Each structure stands twice: as C-alpha cells, then as structure tokens.
Amino acid sequence: GQQVMQIPQYQHVQEGEDFTTYCNSSTTLSNIQWYKQRPGGHPVFLIQLVKSGEVKKQKRLTFQFGEAKKNSSLHITATQTTDVGTYFCAGNAGGTSYGKLTFGQGTILTVHP
Amino acid sequence: ETGVTQTPRHLVMGMTNKKSLKCEQHLGHNAMYWYKQSAKKPLELMFVYNFKEQTENNSVPSRFSPECPNSSHLFLHLHTLQPEDSALYLCASSPGTSGANVLTFGAGSRLTVL
C-alpha cells in the first residue's frame, strides 16, 4: 500500500534558525496536505498543494510540491517559539485510494529561546 | 459551538468496561472520521462515514464499534479493550471524502486502558 515517509523525526533548533521537514511518498500523489499539531493539541490544516512543482508561502512558511508529485517539503524561516509542534504531511494517491489520506509520522519541532 | 467537538476529553477504563466516545460537528460536513494517534506512530485511519454510510473500515478490531446516526454525529463504542488501545482518538470531518478535502479535527479523547 501507499507509504508516506517524513524526515527528520525530531528537530531541535535555536530561535531564529531555519527548519525544514521532508515528505516522501512511495507513489505519485494527486495532492498533499500539511497539518500542524501543537503540544497537547490536535492537527490543524495548514495548506494543500496540488500542482507539480507548486510553491506556496504563508508568512515564514514555504511549502513545495515536487515535480514528480512524490515529495514535498515545509521550510520555516527564522523559527519562533510559537512554531513548536509536530508537522504532518498527508498524501492522497487518488485512483483506488481516492479519498484516503495517508499521514506521515510527523516531525516534532522544538525551538529553544 | 463551532467546529468539531469531542467528549469526553479524557477517559480511563478497565479492560472489561464498556464506554463510548462522542463526536459532533457543526460545519455542515458530510464525511466524518475516526483516527487513532499513538505515541511515535503516524495517524491511523480507523473508520470513514459519508452521508451516514460507512465507506471505510481499516481492519479495525471488533472491540471498536462505530455508529453514525446522522451526518453531524459520530460515536465510537468501546468494549473489552486492551492496554495497547490506550491512545488519543481523534474525530475529524470534511465536506466530502475525496482526498482533496481538508480535514477539521476535534480536540481528541485521551483514552487510557488499565
């Protein structure tokens, strides 16, 4: 079945440093979504990417979808303590798996002030 | 209330107990989901309901029994659970079930099985 791998599993940064998490799928994706879960909270939708090579920005966050639509990344510039949490990607393979999002295992980000 | 509401937020139960988790969404969505979140594991999809009909059962053990009386309410009935079932159970909803639909999650029910 479809697998979505996310690396790294953990990332510790000093406030002000940049952070990147990578998501790789075993199959070509129709679309990919990113969610953030604060400590003790629940996943909250951040963004969806659909087009090959798509790049979207939200303030300090930059999301990319690979040309082959099998990988994606989330980059945070100049991290802040409010960025702490777990970042999940979720891929949709479409086809026979249409309607089923497969989540990566998440990257836990810690930001030291 | 808006969004997706889950009750109870915390539940402790013995292996012989029967309990239920409740989820209610006020977003007018047609699809509702149960996910299991265990430590150091990806979110695991358990069940999907679309217009009250179950469209996905991800090989979940029968000790978990879902119920969806209408598009706004979803229950997860629990009986004879095992300690390894301790986890955060997340309910989510979306407008439809296509993979392009965005999930709105509830705050979760933290379950501990003794």
Side-chain angles (χ1 to χ4, degrees):
Chain A
Q2 180 194 1
Q3 289 187 330
V4 175
M5 304 299 293
Q6 210 175 331
I7 55 169
Q9 188 175 354
Y10 301 95
Q11 186 74 61
H12 308 280
V13 299
Q14 288 292 131
E15 191 172 19
E17 291 181 340
D18 292 356
F19 158 76
T20 305
T21 175
Y22 300 91
C23 186
N24 294 290
S25 170
S26 58
T27 59
T28 302
L29 300 171
S30 295
N31 57 278
I32 193 161
Q33 298 176 359
W34 285 91
Y35 291 79
K36 177 184 177 181
Q37 184 172 18
R38 295 183 186 275
H42 57 279
V44 174
F45 173 76
L46 293 176
I47 209 158
Q48 176 163 254
L49 304 170
V50 179
K51 299 177 183 176
S52 169
E54 189 170 14
V55 177
K56 286 189 175 181
K57 292 190 175 184
Q58 288 180 349
K59 297 183 180 178
R60 293 177 296 103
L61 277 63
T62 302
F63 303 84
Q64 294 191 34
F65 202 8
E67 294 290 342
K69 301 184 75 174
K70 294 184 74 173
N71 56 72
S72 181
S73 65
L74 158 59
H75 179 81
I76 302 179
T77 303
T79 55
Q80 300 175 358
T81 54
T82 53
D83 295 325
V84 164
T86 303
Y87 293 85
F88 294 97
C89 61
N92 168 41
T96 56
S97 300
Y98 194 61
K100 188 173 175 179
L101 282 171
T102 301
F103 280 82
Q105 56 268 64
T107 296
I108 300 173
L109 173 64
T110 306
V111 179
H112 299 285
Chain B
E1 282 199 50
T2 58
V4 180
T5 304
Q6 287 187 245
T7 55
R9 292 293 308 279
H10 300 273
L11 178 63
V12 179
M13 58 187 289
M15 290 191 286
T16 58
N17 291 159
K18 289 184 181 181
K19 297 285 184 184
S20 296
L21 306 180
K22 179 183 175 182
C23 177
E24 184 174 1
Q25 59 97 0
H26 306 268
L27 299 168
H29 288 169
N30 298 313
M32 296 188 76
Y33 310 74
W34 281 116
Y35 280 87
K36 177 183 178 183
Q37 187 173 39
S38 306
K40 300 181 180 180
K41 280 189 172 183
L43 282 161
E44 298 174 62
L45 178 64
M46 299 175 72
F47 302 103
V48 182
Y49 278 82
N50 191 31
F51 291 100
K52 305 189 304 178
E53 300 298 320
Q54 188 180 113
T55 59
E56 182 95 19
N57 177 339
N58 208 22
S59 303
V60 179
S62 59
R63 58 186 183 269
F64 295 91
S65 175
E67 179 190 359
C68 189
N70 55 61
S71 293
S72 298
H73 294 85
L74 185 64
F75 296 89
L76 189 62
H77 303 299
L78 316 169
H79 61 98
T80 59
L81 294 191
Q82 305 299 310
E84 59 265 28
D85 296 322
S86 298
L88 180 67
Y89 289 85
L90 290 161
C91 174
S93 70
S94 65
T97 56
S98 85
N101 278 265
V102 171
L103 299 174
T104 301
F105 285 89
S109 294
R110 174 73 62 185
L111 173 66
T112 302
V113 182
L114 301 176

